[in-house]
Amino acid sequence: MLPIHSPQIVLWIHILAASVWIGGQVTIAAVIPLLRGADGLAAAAGRRYQVVAWPAFAALAVTGVINTSNAGIAWSDLGGTSTGRTLAAKLGLVALSGAAAAMHAFLQAPALRRRKASTPRPAASALLGLLSVTAAILAALLGVVIRGT
Ligand code: HEM
């Protein structure tokens, strides 16, 4: 059997965390509409998802920094080499994904919970979720591109 090295363990955790961050958002988006019929269930499911989502996001950030060093990319490369610029674009997408998810979870969702049941849900709520997952999917693509260089 081939040996397992520590950079591979870090990358493995990075990929597992990406699966939770992206896969969790896709899954929650798929089931939330079904849960809206039951009183408080959609909100409770959303809150439970946060319990796994933010640790996964933190794990992505920590393992991402270690991946960067393991891949031999210096922070001074960010604007200077094509790999560095790809990582910079990826970091922009990661920031966008985190910011959109945070706005959705901590500002919009609590406001939506306070509204009357008959009030239509603002389209911005779904849009922020879509923005977060799309940015994360594109960040994953750039990660694969960096890995392939
Ligand atoms: C939403 C957040 C993120 C997602 C979804 C994500 C996803 C991924 C994926 C899928 C890969 C490819 C793994 C492979 O091809 O085997 C990867 C690689 C990589 N990621 Fe991330 N990542 C995220 C955040 C970050 C952050 C914050 C950093 C840096 C601070 C980072 C740095 C890297 C690096 C340098 C690689 C290439 C590793 C190598 O060449 O060995 N990632 N990422």
Side-chain angles (χ1 to χ4, degrees):
M1 188 175 143
L2 292 171
I4 301 173
H5 300 291
S6 62
Q8 294 161 342
I9 299 280
V10 175
L11 188 60
W12 173 59
I13 296 170
H14 194 71
I15 293 167
L16 288 180
S19 311
V20 172
W21 181 251
I22 295 173
Q25 291 192 40
V26 171
T27 305
I28 205 85
V31 300
I32 284 274
L34 297 176
L35 302 179
R36 284 214 182 97
D39 197 25
L41 203 51
R47 281 195 300 270
R48 289 294 295 187
Y49 165 64
Q50 306 304 320
V51 174
V52 291
W54 293 110
F57 194 70
L60 277 167
V62 172
T63 54
V65 169
I66 305 172
N67 281 343
T68 302
S69 149
N70 288 339
I73 306 168
W75 296 111
S76 54
D77 291 343
L78 283 188
T81 66
S82 48
T83 303
R85 280 190 290 275
T86 308
L87 180 59
K90 176 179 158 124
L91 290 178
L93 289 165
V94 172
L96 183 62
S97 178
M103 281 176 66
H104 184 60
F106 303 126
L107 299 177
Q108 238 173 16
L112 281 173
R113 280 198 286 277
R114 288 193 296 271
R115 90 199 198 292
K116 289 201 180 88
S118 54
T119 315
R121 299 177 62 79
S125 167
L127 272 181
L128 275 181
L130 187 64
L131 184 62
S132 177
V133 76
T134 305
I137 288 168
L138 293 175
L141 171 63
L142 294 188
V144 172
V145 169
I146 294 167
R147 176 116 185 107
T149 56

